Amino acid sequence: TTNPRTHEPAGNRMHHLWIALYFPDLSLQVAHRGLIQDLPLAISAGPSNRPVVFSANNVALRCGVRREMTIGAARALCSELIVLPREESKEQRALEQVATGVCCFSPNTSLNIQSVLIEVSTTLRLFGGLQALLRRVCAAVRELGYRAIVAVAPTPLAAWLFARARA
């Protein structure tokens, strides 16, 4: 017999499983490398005549700096604020570096907005199950010097949305 919706043999249906690695503060993670962690830092974006805060570290947030705030307003709240322009090309290279670092866990790895998606249904058994695989993936991301929010779902979009919702 066959499944009428997929036309696949009943019982042979392949279940997909995706891991999403979401980096909501990737611009900060890329910019923070080599900087003293205790300094207030904001990443700016937008037009050069009116840049706004794209992202800010915890030190800047404690000073009252918020996303979408103008840089002038942010500096009024935090005079020692370091402002760096967003560098999307560096963020893209960082995502590519992470994707390369985790491709050993699956041949099916792709990039999405501020995230890396990994289809792992075919490699779960090889790595000792989902929990063991998640530990190894997270360790690989940490070894590269990044922090990610992780989610798992049967489709890449669902995994990505779940990870974003946890941010």
Side-chain angles (χ1 to χ4, degrees):
T1 62
T2 62
N3 182 324
R5 291 191 327 186
T6 63
H7 303 289
E8 295 176 352
N12 276 348
R13 187 148 185 240
M14 173 75 152
H15 294 283
H16 294 280
L17 195 60
W18 290 82
I19 296 174
L21 303 172
Y22 178 58
F23 302 87
D25 63 345
L26 185 60
S27 59
L28 274 174
Q29 290 187 51
V30 169
H32 238 223
R33 292 175 178 266
L35 291 179
I36 298 170
Q37 302 294 317
D38 294 339
L39 297 175
L41 174 67
I43 305 301
S44 67
S48 60
N49 63 336
R50 190 169 157 77
V52 296
V53 173
F54 177 77
S55 189
N57 69 1
N58 287 333
V59 179
L61 292 173
R62 283 193 297 273
C63 291
V65 175
R66 297 291 176 255
R67 186 175 165 89
E68 301 298 323
M69 175 182 282
T70 64
I71 295 300
R75 282 204 166 116
L77 290 171
C78 184
S79 60
E80 61 277 356
L81 183 68
I82 297 168
V83 179
L84 299 173
R86 183 175 184 204
E87 296 186 69
E88 292 182 64
S89 62
K90 283 187 178 180
E91 293 173 36
Q92 183 65 27
R93 284 195 301 276
L95 285 177
E96 290 167 359
Q97 180 185 24
V98 170
T100 300
V102 299
C103 72
C104 61
F105 302 113
S106 172
N108 194 358
T109 303
S110 59
L111 303 180
N112 195 4
I113 301 166
Q114 290 182 282
S115 59
V116 175
L117 301 167
I118 313 161
E119 200 286 319
V120 296
S121 58
T122 59
T123 59
L124 280 176
R125 192 175 312 157
L126 177 66
F127 291 102
L130 181 59
Q131 292 306 314
L133 179 58
L134 285 171
R135 281 192 299 274
R136 290 180 77 164
V137 167
C138 290
V141 171
R142 276 192 310 276
E143 284 176 21
L144 292 169
Y146 297 103
R147 294 175 315 279
I149 295 174
V150 180
V152 179
T155 68
L157 178 59
W160 182 73
L161 289 172
F162 288 153
R164 281 188 54 124
R166 294 181 67 197

